[in-house]
Amino acid sequence: NGKAPRTTSTMKNNTRSSLRRRGGRRDDDPRSSQHNDSADESAGGVGVGITSVLSDDSTNMSSFLDNSSNSSDTATPAPTSTTTNSSPPAPSSRMRREMSPKAISKDESRLRKVATRIISGLIMISLFIGILLSGHVYVCALVFVLEVLLFRELVTVRYNAFFDRIDQTIPLFRTTQWMWFFVSIFYTYSEFAVEMIKGNTKLHYLLEYAQWAPLLSFSLYTGTFVLTIATMQTGHIKFQLNQLCWTIVVLCLTVGQLKYIMHNIYNGLIWFTLPILLVITNDIMAYFSGITCGKKFIHRTFMQLSPNKTWEGFIGGGFFTVLFGWYLSRYLAKF
């Protein structure tokens, strides 16, 4: 009891040496009691009386040290680091390796779509600017081509829906549709041409021909009407009248609306250019806002009719359209 207190490291070394000399048996093992004296003497007096000094707490400490020694002996050796000259992979390449093949294919498809839209958009904008710089006549020709394509698109929808019935029972169905379109075009733009001839002194030599325009329009209308009535089939009159009504609605949507665009073109190209560019801006910015921020802030569906549309695309398109229109209108007003 007169000994100086020993440190934890000294107790740990003495306990381990004592355990090794006893063949791995603990102090509380009855088989090791007969070796206590020889083990204490072989410790050189340092470990003398260790069993009297270590109480129950020291026995628990011995068990803890023994377990920690066994765990350290059986621990997995630390891997040796090898120095290589290759730099760590970039975050983008590492993320791409972690993506599944399906996700990679979807990502590449999206990039391909974006590239296609950018290239086609640049081509169309370049053609549009070229037509604007060519003059009013070429712009009017562009409007006429758009009218033809729009009419063809809308009447084809109805024609494909009832193709079997139309092809077997109604003769000259497509012919009468295009005749109605030609009559409406001639009537609409003949009046516009007559106004242009009267307003331009250099074209006054055409006034004698322009006076026949109303009579010619009425003759075309009468001939088309008679042909339409002649193609009516018994048992299908209601269906044919339904198709005729659809044709008239399409003519109102195309020729009726675009009639005044011709007047606006000659009143000033700004009245044609500004609305077209605003529509282009809204379409482009809504698309890019949708693919970059779509459903990241607002998770509600924008509309059930088109599930891919997002609120972010709608808001982004509207914001950039207002911003672009503010500065573009002030710039185009100079011309």
Side-chain angles (χ1 to χ4, degrees):
N1 294 329
K3 296 183 177 70
R6 283 167 290 184
T7 62
T8 305
S9 60
T10 305
M11 294 172 61
K12 178 178 179 181
N13 294 332
N14 293 338
T15 304
R16 287 181 177 177
S17 61
S18 176
L19 290 174
R20 282 197 297 269
R21 290 183 179 88
R22 293 169 187 170
R25 290 185 294 271
R26 302 181 185 275
D27 292 335
D28 55 355
D29 191 350
R31 292 178 297 178
S32 62
S33 59
Q34 57 183 350
H35 300 287
N36 288 340
D37 297 336
S38 60
D40 292 337
E41 292 176 358
S42 61
V46 179
V48 176
I50 190 170
T51 56
S52 61
V53 174
L54 296 177
S55 60
D56 293 337
D57 294 336
S58 65
T59 302
N60 294 334
M61 179 62 73
S62 173
S63 301
F64 171 76
L65 294 175
D66 187 23
N67 293 333
S68 62
S69 176
N70 292 335
S71 63
S72 62
D73 293 337
T74 59
T76 304
T80 58
S81 60
T82 58
T83 304
T84 58
N85 295 328
S86 61
S87 59
S92 59
S93 60
R94 183 170 63 252
M95 292 175 59
R96 193 168 183 83
R97 285 200 302 268
E98 294 175 355
M99 295 170 62
S100 63
K102 185 177 181 180
I104 293 176
S105 177
K106 184 177 180 180
D107 185 61
E108 292 177 350
S109 177
R110 175 179 295 181
L111 294 177
R112 194 180 301 110
K113 289 181 179 179
V114 172
T116 302
R117 285 175 178 262
I118 291 175
I119 295 174
S120 60
L122 292 176
I123 294 174
M124 294 177 67
I125 292 175
S126 301
L127 292 175
F128 180 72
I129 294 175
I131 293 173
L132 288 177
L133 297 176
S134 300
H136 298 76
V137 176
Y138 293 94
V139 176
C140 291
L142 173 64
V143 174
F144 176 75
V145 172
L146 294 177
E147 281 183 296
V148 175
L149 296 177
L150 182 59
F151 177 80
R152 177 180 176 273
E153 180 74 19
L154 293 177
V155 296
T156 302
V157 173
R158 193 85 171 185
Y159 179 74
N160 292 335
F162 301 97
F163 174 76
D164 295 335
R165 186 173 181 181
I166 293 172
D167 186 62
Q168 296 176 4
T169 59
I170 304 176
L172 302 177
F173 177 80
R174 299 282 283 180
T175 303
T176 54
Q177 279 188 326
W178 283 102
M179 287 184 67
W180 281 113
F181 176 74
F182 178 74
V183 169
S184 61
I185 286 289
F186 184 84
Y187 173 75
T188 300
Y189 294 118
S190 62
E191 289 185 349
F192 176 69
V194 170
E195 292 178 3
M196 293 296 298
I197 292 173
K198 291 180 179 180
N200 191 348
T201 57
K202 297 180 180 179
L203 300 177
H204 281 179
Y205 68 93
L206 297 175
L207 286 175
E208 58 179 342
Y209 302 101
Q211 63 182 356
W212 295 96
L215 179 60
L216 186 56
S217 299
F218 179 76
S219 300
L220 290 174
Y221 168 78
T222 304
T224 306
F225 181 79
V226 171
L227 181 61
T228 304
I229 298 301
T231 57
M232 293 291 178
Q233 301 295 316
T234 304
H236 303 281
I237 295 178
K238 183 178 179 180
F239 174 75
Q240 288 181 277
L241 291 176
N242 190 358
Q243 300 302 315
L244 180 61
C245 292
W246 171 250
T247 304
I248 295 174
V249 170
V250 173
L251 290 175
C252 293
L253 292 175
T254 55
V255 182
Q257 292 189 82
L258 296 180
K259 171 186 177 180
Y260 300 99
I261 291 181
M262 297 290 189
H263 294 273
N264 287 334
I265 290 174
Y266 279 91
N267 289 332
L269 283 175
I270 184 176
W271 306 114
F272 174 78
T273 307
L274 181 61
I276 296 296
L277 292 180
L278 291 181
V279 172
I280 294 174
T281 302
N282 182 268
D283 185 67
I284 293 175
M285 299 312 300
Y287 175 76
F288 283 104
S289 298
I291 63 174
T292 54
C293 304
K295 295 185 178 180
K296 292 184 179 179
F297 303 98
I298 304 176
H299 301 283
R300 294 183 57 187
T301 303
F302 181 68
M303 62 173 58
Q304 297 294 336
L305 182 62
S306 183
N308 292 330
K309 297 292 189 296
T310 60
W311 281 99
E312 289 82 357
F314 173 74
I315 296 173
F319 172 77
F320 285 104
T321 301
V322 173
L323 183 65
F324 186 75
W326 174 264
Y327 291 101
L328 182 64
S329 60
R330 299 178 65 181
Y331 174 76
L332 294 178
K334 299 178 183 179
F335 300 98

